[in-house]
Amino acid sequence: MNKLNLLKTIAKQSVGVRPPLPVNYTLGLTYRCNARCKTCRIYERDTARDALEELTSQEWRKIFLGLGTAPFWITFTGGEPFLHKDLVEIYGDVIEFCQPAMVNIPTNGLLTDRIIESVLLLLAETPSDVQLTVNLSFDHYKPEINDHIRGVIGYTEKGLKTLHGLMSLSKEHPNLKIGIHTVVSRFNVSDISNIANYWSSYVEPGMYIAEIAENRVELGTVELPIMPSVLQYQRVLGALINTTAGFKGFLRASYYKYVSTFMESSQNTLQCRAGSLSCQIAPNGEVWFCCIKSQSIGSLRDYNYDLYKLWNDRTAVELRSNIKGCTCPMANAFYTNLISSPITLLKEGVRQVISIDTRMRRLRG
């Protein structure tokens, strides 16, 4: 049913009909984080006030009841999602009421025992036709450098322990996928080829991704010089593309090329459908079309937790018309934008087939 809903929503988008609710949701559970990454300062929002303002599990349940089966792809994020004491309960409710096809949970992997125990409980709530993906973050293959970038002594050791534990679980649970995520920044771009080759060897093809460091309001990094230069990124573009495989790999390769174009010219090569197909709900119930800007269209608490009402409110309608021309390197939104643009998707597919054929010809000499 979820795939049918997704196709219907994309079809409406293709003919210019605004869907009633998005299909891609990023649910921010908390700003609390136990890492101190150089590419993120979200932990600075971890205050007593923020903790008190977090949506309760009962509030999340009301939101999910209103969403129905509209969600196709859900990401639980933070901060560190596994720090939220009600993660398992909230996950169980979203599975019961929304029936998404995919749920993604990024983690720094520091809380090994808690993460493994929680994932076991999450799997007990997960139907066989739902894919649960847990993505761990590593920014270098050398422990001392990775620990420095991530701001925690022993980060790599703890993360690897969590990774091995989750990989063991995935052998027993086919619908559990383990991914590895690297942030490409000025702190590691010179060694990205080796980093990508090293960490992609740990996971299945298509389950490794290297996302560009972002100047985001949500992360408190708007003014931080964390992004690599265009030339630095373009030098490693081929190495990143070489780690991709299958349909997921196709999406990854498309994203890497898009980032290169964005960094070079900020060219709008793909219409943004944040505000139509995707959105983010902040830990305090504020709803954003886009987490780059983190511009609130309103609080669900003021709309009796009914996203449909908020989504079609006057403020939302006005802001939606302004976001289509935006460009940013946000991977989550990019995938939704690409899949919902059949013509662009086809063109990119043809380009990649030609590129692969050219490379094969060169190898054959």
Side-chain angles (χ1 to χ4, degrees), residues 180-203:
I180 291 180
H181 169 269
T182 295
V183 177
V184 183
S185 69
R186 69 180 183 88
F187 307 109
N188 63 2
V189 66
S190 62
D191 211 9
I192 278 296
S193 297
N194 292 327
I195 295 169
N197 289 332
Y198 181 85
W199 288 114
S200 62
S201 67
Y202 272 84
V203 292

PDB file of all heavy atoms in Angstrom, residues 180-203:
ATOM      1  N   ILE A 180      27.071   2.798   6.488  1.00  0.00           N
ATOM      2  CA  ILE A 180      28.116   3.643   7.059  1.00  0.00           C
ATOM      3  C   ILE A 180      28.090   4.985   6.348  1.00  0.00           C
ATOM      4  O   ILE A 180      27.974   5.058   5.121  1.00  0.00           O
ATOM      5  CB  ILE A 180      29.505   2.985   6.945  1.00  0.00           C
ATOM      6  CG1 ILE A 180      29.582   1.771   7.875  1.00  0.00           C
ATOM      7  CG2 ILE A 180      30.613   3.977   7.281  1.00  0.00           C
ATOM      8  CD1 ILE A 180      30.912   1.047   7.855  1.00  0.00           C
ATOM      9  N   HIS A 181      28.187   6.033   7.131  1.00  0.00           N
ATOM     10  CA  HIS A 181      28.051   7.404   6.640  1.00  0.00           C
ATOM     11  C   HIS A 181      29.304   8.198   6.996  1.00  0.00           C
ATOM     12  O   HIS A 181      29.792   8.132   8.119  1.00  0.00           O
ATOM     13  CB  HIS A 181      26.816   8.037   7.299  1.00  0.00           C
ATOM     14  CG  HIS A 181      26.693   9.501   7.097  1.00  0.00           C
ATOM     15  ND1 HIS A 181      27.234  10.419   7.977  1.00  0.00           N
ATOM     16  CD2 HIS A 181      26.095  10.216   6.126  1.00  0.00           C
ATOM     17  CE1 HIS A 181      26.968  11.646   7.557  1.00  0.00           C
ATOM     18  NE2 HIS A 181      26.286  11.557   6.432  1.00  0.00           N
ATOM     19  N   THR A 182      29.827   8.900   6.001  1.00  0.00           N
ATOM     20  CA  THR A 182      30.987   9.764   6.202  1.00  0.00           C
ATOM     21  C   THR A 182      30.627  11.191   5.798  1.00  0.00           C
ATOM     22  O   THR A 182      29.978  11.395   4.770  1.00  0.00           O
ATOM     23  CB  THR A 182      32.184   9.292   5.348  1.00  0.00           C
ATOM     24  OG1 THR A 182      32.612   8.009   5.794  1.00  0.00           O
ATOM     25  CG2 THR A 182      33.356  10.277   5.440  1.00  0.00           C
ATOM     26  N   VAL A 183      31.032  12.161   6.601  1.00  0.00           N
ATOM     27  CA  VAL A 183      30.861  13.564   6.245  1.00  0.00           C
ATOM     28  C   VAL A 183      32.140  14.034   5.556  1.00  0.00           C
ATOM     29  O   VAL A 183      33.228  13.989   6.146  1.00  0.00           O
ATOM     30  CB  VAL A 183      30.586  14.439   7.486  1.00  0.00           C
ATOM     31  CG1 VAL A 183      30.494  15.910   7.085  1.00  0.00           C
ATOM     32  CG2 VAL A 183      29.302  13.994   8.170  1.00  0.00           C
ATOM     33  N   VAL A 184      32.015  14.463   4.310  1.00  0.00           N
ATOM     34  CA  VAL A 184      33.163  14.975   3.560  1.00  0.00           C
ATOM     35  C   VAL A 184      33.362  16.442   3.933  1.00  0.00           C
ATOM     36  O   VAL A 184      32.509  17.280   3.649  1.00  0.00           O
ATOM     37  CB  VAL A 184      32.949  14.848   2.038  1.00  0.00           C
ATOM     38  CG1 VAL A 184      34.199  15.330   1.296  1.00  0.00           C
ATOM     39  CG2 VAL A 184      32.621  13.419   1.659  1.00  0.00           C
ATOM     40  N   SER A 185      34.463  16.735   4.581  1.00  0.00           N
ATOM     41  CA  SER A 185      34.716  18.090   5.063  1.00  0.00           C
ATOM     42  C   SER A 185      36.154  18.488   4.764  1.00  0.00           C
ATOM     43  O   SER A 185      36.942  17.698   4.235  1.00  0.00           O
ATOM     44  CB  SER A 185      34.470  18.154   6.568  1.00  0.00           C
ATOM     45  OG  SER A 185      35.471  17.416   7.254  1.00  0.00           O
ATOM     46  N   ARG A 186      36.490  19.687   5.129  1.00  0.00           N
ATOM     47  CA  ARG A 186      37.871  20.134   4.917  1.00  0.00           C
ATOM     48  C   ARG A 186      38.841  19.380   5.834  1.00  0.00           C
ATOM     49  O   ARG A 186      40.056  19.412   5.628  1.00  0.00           O
ATOM     50  CB  ARG A 186      37.992  21.636   5.158  1.00  0.00           C
ATOM     51  CG  ARG A 186      37.816  22.099   6.598  1.00  0.00           C
ATOM     52  CD  ARG A 186      37.956  23.607   6.693  1.00  0.00           C
ATOM     53  NE  ARG A 186      37.866  24.098   8.063  1.00  0.00           N
ATOM     54  CZ  ARG A 186      38.899  24.205   8.889  1.00  0.00           C
ATOM     55  NH1 ARG A 186      40.101  23.836   8.490  1.00  0.00           N
ATOM     56  NH2 ARG A 186      38.740  24.685  10.113  1.00  0.00           N
ATOM     57  N   PHE A 187      38.294  18.658   6.830  1.00  0.00           N
ATOM     58  CA  PHE A 187      39.134  17.925   7.770  1.00  0.00           C
ATOM     59  C   PHE A 187      39.574  16.563   7.242  1.00  0.00           C
ATOM     60  O   PHE A 187      40.502  15.968   7.780  1.00  0.00           O
ATOM     61  CB  PHE A 187      38.390  17.733   9.105  1.00  0.00           C
ATOM     62  CG  PHE A 187      37.857  19.005   9.687  1.00  0.00           C
ATOM     63  CD1 PHE A 187      36.495  19.263   9.712  1.00  0.00           C
ATOM     64  CD2 PHE A 187      38.717  19.968  10.195  1.00  0.00           C
ATOM     65  CE1 PHE A 187      35.992  20.441  10.242  1.00  0.00           C
ATOM     66  CE2 PHE A 187      38.223  21.157  10.731  1.00  0.00           C
ATOM     67  CZ  PHE A 187      36.858  21.398  10.752  1.00  0.00           C
ATOM     68  N   ASN A 188      38.892  16.053   6.210  1.00  0.00           N
ATOM     69  CA  ASN A 188      39.238  14.707   5.724  1.00  0.00           C
ATOM     70  C   ASN A 188      39.230  14.557   4.204  1.00  0.00           C
ATOM     71  O   ASN A 188      39.514  13.484   3.682  1.00  0.00           O
ATOM     72  CB  ASN A 188      38.288  13.668   6.326  1.00  0.00           C
ATOM     73  CG  ASN A 188      36.831  13.873   5.908  1.00  0.00           C
ATOM     74  OD1 ASN A 188      36.512  14.771   5.126  1.00  0.00           O
ATOM     75  ND2 ASN A 188      35.939  13.038   6.435  1.00  0.00           N
ATOM     76  N   VAL A 189      38.914  15.627   3.465  1.00  0.00           N
ATOM     77  CA  VAL A 189      38.722  15.500   2.018  1.00  0.00           C
ATOM     78  C   VAL A 189      39.980  15.021   1.297  1.00  0.00           C
ATOM     79  O   VAL A 189      39.901  14.305   0.290  1.00  0.00           O
ATOM     80  CB  VAL A 189      38.229  16.841   1.420  1.00  0.00           C
ATOM     81  CG1 VAL A 189      39.288  17.927   1.538  1.00  0.00           C
ATOM     82  CG2 VAL A 189      37.796  16.651  -0.034  1.00  0.00           C
ATOM     83  N   SER A 190      41.158  15.365   1.818  1.00  0.00           N
ATOM     84  CA  SER A 190      42.394  14.965   1.143  1.00  0.00           C
ATOM     85  C   SER A 190      42.606  13.450   1.162  1.00  0.00           C
ATOM     86  O   SER A 190      43.400  12.925   0.382  1.00  0.00           O
ATOM     87  CB  SER A 190      43.600  15.661   1.785  1.00  0.00           C
ATOM     88  OG  SER A 190      43.728  15.287   3.148  1.00  0.00           O
ATOM     89  N   ASP A 191      41.895  12.754   2.045  1.00  0.00           N
ATOM     90  CA  ASP A 191      42.066  11.299   2.166  1.00  0.00           C
ATOM     91  C   ASP A 191      40.765  10.542   1.911  1.00  0.00           C
ATOM     92  O   ASP A 191      40.647   9.365   2.278  1.00  0.00           O
ATOM     93  CB  ASP A 191      42.592  10.969   3.567  1.00  0.00           C
ATOM     94  CG  ASP A 191      43.474   9.722   3.574  1.00  0.00           C
ATOM     95  OD1 ASP A 191      43.809   9.227   2.473  1.00  0.00           O
ATOM     96  OD2 ASP A 191      43.824   9.241   4.663  1.00  0.00           O
ATOM     97  N   ILE A 192      39.791  11.199   1.285  1.00  0.00           N
ATOM     98  CA  ILE A 192      38.476  10.585   1.103  1.00  0.00           C
ATOM     99  C   ILE A 192      38.527   9.303   0.285  1.00  0.00           C
ATOM    100  O   ILE A 192      37.783   8.354   0.552  1.00  0.00           O
ATOM    101  CB  ILE A 192      37.489  11.599   0.470  1.00  0.00           C
ATOM    102  CG1 ILE A 192      36.925  12.513   1.544  1.00  0.00           C
ATOM    103  CG2 ILE A 192      36.333  10.894  -0.239  1.00  0.00           C
ATOM    104  CD1 ILE A 192      36.071  11.806   2.604  1.00  0.00           C
ATOM    105  N   SER A 193      39.392   9.225  -0.704  1.00  0.00           N
ATOM    106  CA  SER A 193      39.469   8.008  -1.521  1.00  0.00           C
ATOM    107  C   SER A 193      39.749   6.789  -0.652  1.00  0.00           C
ATOM    108  O   SER A 193      39.085   5.751  -0.767  1.00  0.00           O
ATOM    109  CB  SER A 193      40.555   8.157  -2.592  1.00  0.00           C
ATOM    110  OG  SER A 193      40.245   9.194  -3.480  1.00  0.00           O
ATOM    111  N   ASN A 194      40.740   6.895   0.230  1.00  0.00           N
ATOM    112  CA  ASN A 194      41.080   5.783   1.122  1.00  0.00           C
ATOM    113  C   ASN A 194      39.985   5.536   2.150  1.00  0.00           C
ATOM    114  O   ASN A 194      39.685   4.384   2.497  1.00  0.00           O
ATOM    115  CB  ASN A 194      42.404   6.063   1.836  1.00  0.00           C
ATOM    116  CG  ASN A 194      43.585   6.053   0.893  1.00  0.00           C
ATOM    117  OD1 ASN A 194      43.594   5.293  -0.083  1.00  0.00           O
ATOM    118  ND2 ASN A 194      44.578   6.884   1.151  1.00  0.00           N
ATOM    119  N   ILE A 195      39.391   6.626   2.651  1.00  0.00           N
ATOM    120  CA  ILE A 195      38.310   6.504   3.635  1.00  0.00           C
ATOM    121  C   ILE A 195      37.130   5.754   3.030  1.00  0.00           C
ATOM    122  O   ILE A 195      36.581   4.819   3.637  1.00  0.00           O
ATOM    123  CB  ILE A 195      37.866   7.892   4.128  1.00  0.00           C
ATOM    124  CG1 ILE A 195      38.995   8.581   4.890  1.00  0.00           C
ATOM    125  CG2 ILE A 195      36.616   7.792   5.006  1.00  0.00           C
ATOM    126  CD1 ILE A 195      38.748  10.053   5.181  1.00  0.00           C
ATOM    127  N   ALA A 196      36.728   6.157   1.815  1.00  0.00           N
ATOM    128  CA  ALA A 196      35.581   5.539   1.153  1.00  0.00           C
ATOM    129  C   ALA A 196      35.847   4.076   0.850  1.00  0.00           C
ATOM    130  O   ALA A 196      34.975   3.212   1.056  1.00  0.00           O
ATOM    131  CB  ALA A 196      35.251   6.303  -0.124  1.00  0.00           C
ATOM    132  N   ASN A 197      37.031   3.765   0.362  1.00  0.00           N
ATOM    133  CA  ASN A 197      37.367   2.370   0.052  1.00  0.00           C
ATOM    134  C   ASN A 197      37.373   1.513   1.308  1.00  0.00           C
ATOM    135  O   ASN A 197      36.917   0.359   1.312  1.00  0.00           O
ATOM    136  CB  ASN A 197      38.727   2.288  -0.637  1.00  0.00           C
ATOM    137  CG  ASN A 197      38.703   2.820  -2.057  1.00  0.00           C
ATOM    138  OD1 ASN A 197      37.657   2.775  -2.715  1.00  0.00           O
ATOM    139  ND2 ASN A 197      39.821   3.323  -2.534  1.00  0.00           N
ATOM    140  N   TYR A 198      37.896   2.066   2.394  1.00  0.00           N
ATOM    141  CA  TYR A 198      38.000   1.321   3.647  1.00  0.00           C
ATOM    142  C   TYR A 198      36.629   1.009   4.223  1.00  0.00           C
ATOM    143  O   TYR A 198      36.300  -0.153   4.491  1.00  0.00           O
ATOM    144  CB  TYR A 198      38.827   2.131   4.652  1.00  0.00           C
ATOM    145  CG  TYR A 198      39.016   1.438   5.986  1.00  0.00           C
ATOM    146  CD1 TYR A 198      40.036   0.518   6.162  1.00  0.00           C
ATOM    147  CD2 TYR A 198      38.180   1.717   7.068  1.00  0.00           C
ATOM    148  CE1 TYR A 198      40.223  -0.120   7.386  1.00  0.00           C
ATOM    149  CE2 TYR A 198      38.353   1.096   8.295  1.00  0.00           C
ATOM    150  CZ  TYR A 198      39.370   0.172   8.444  1.00  0.00           C
ATOM    151  OH  TYR A 198      39.538  -0.461   9.657  1.00  0.00           O
ATOM    152  N   TRP A 199      35.787   2.042   4.413  1.00  0.00           N
ATOM    153  CA  TRP A 199      34.510   1.834   5.092  1.00  0.00           C
ATOM    154  C   TRP A 199      33.462   1.165   4.197  1.00  0.00           C
ATOM    155  O   TRP A 199      32.614   0.416   4.693  1.00  0.00           O
ATOM    156  CB  TRP A 199      33.985   3.151   5.641  1.00  0.00           C
ATOM    157  CG  TRP A 199      34.766   3.643   6.817  1.00  0.00           C
ATOM    158  CD1 TRP A 199      35.540   4.756   6.894  1.00  0.00           C
ATOM    159  CD2 TRP A 199      34.884   3.001   8.100  1.00  0.00           C
ATOM    160  NE1 TRP A 199      36.130   4.866   8.131  1.00  0.00           N
ATOM    161  CE2 TRP A 199      35.738   3.800   8.897  1.00  0.00           C
ATOM    162  CE3 TRP A 199      34.350   1.837   8.651  1.00  0.00           C
ATOM    163  CZ2 TRP A 199      36.068   3.469  10.206  1.00  0.00           C
ATOM    164  CZ3 TRP A 199      34.669   1.508   9.962  1.00  0.00           C
ATOM    165  CH2 TRP A 199      35.518   2.323  10.724  1.00  0.00           C
ATOM    166  N   SER A 200      33.525   1.377   2.894  1.00  0.00           N
ATOM    167  CA  SER A 200      32.544   0.725   2.011  1.00  0.00           C
ATOM    168  C   SER A 200      32.747  -0.781   1.987  1.00  0.00           C
ATOM    169  O   SER A 200      31.818  -1.533   1.673  1.00  0.00           O
ATOM    170  CB  SER A 200      32.632   1.295   0.593  1.00  0.00           C
ATOM    171  OG  SER A 200      33.903   1.055   0.016  1.00  0.00           O
ATOM    172  N   SER A 201      33.940  -1.240   2.334  1.00  0.00           N
ATOM    173  CA  SER A 201      34.203  -2.685   2.344  1.00  0.00           C
ATOM    174  C   SER A 201      33.514  -3.394   3.504  1.00  0.00           C
ATOM    175  O   SER A 201      33.387  -4.615   3.514  1.00  0.00           O
ATOM    176  CB  SER A 201      35.714  -2.938   2.413  1.00  0.00           C
ATOM    177  OG  SER A 201      36.245  -2.515   3.669  1.00  0.00           O
ATOM    178  N   TYR A 202      33.042  -2.617   4.486  1.00  0.00           N
ATOM    179  CA  TYR A 202      32.385  -3.206   5.656  1.00  0.00           C
ATOM    180  C   TYR A 202      30.921  -3.561   5.395  1.00  0.00           C
ATOM    181  O   TYR A 202      30.364  -4.387   6.102  1.00  0.00           O
ATOM    182  CB  TYR A 202      32.443  -2.223   6.836  1.00  0.00           C
ATOM    183  CG  TYR A 202      33.674  -2.328   7.694  1.00  0.00           C
ATOM    184  CD1 TYR A 202      34.854  -1.682   7.345  1.00  0.00           C
ATOM    185  CD2 TYR A 202      33.673  -3.061   8.881  1.00  0.00           C
ATOM    186  CE1 TYR A 202      35.988  -1.757   8.137  1.00  0.00           C
ATOM    187  CE2 TYR A 202      34.796  -3.147   9.686  1.00  0.00           C
ATOM    188  CZ  TYR A 202      35.957  -2.494   9.296  1.00  0.00           C
ATOM    189  OH  TYR A 202      37.079  -2.578  10.100  1.00  0.00           O
ATOM    190  N   VAL A 203      30.310  -2.894   4.436  1.00  0.00           N
ATOM    191  CA  VAL A 203      28.859  -3.016   4.260  1.00  0.00           C
ATOM    192  C   VAL A 203      28.502  -3.491   2.854  1.00  0.00           C
ATOM    193  O   VAL A 203      29.346  -3.547   1.961  1.00  0.00           O
ATOM    194  CB  VAL A 203      28.160  -1.658   4.542  1.00  0.00           C
ATOM    195  CG1 VAL A 203      28.261  -1.302   6.014  1.00  0.00           C
ATOM    196  CG2 VAL A 203      28.750  -0.545   3.688  1.00  0.00           C
TER     197      VAL A 203
END
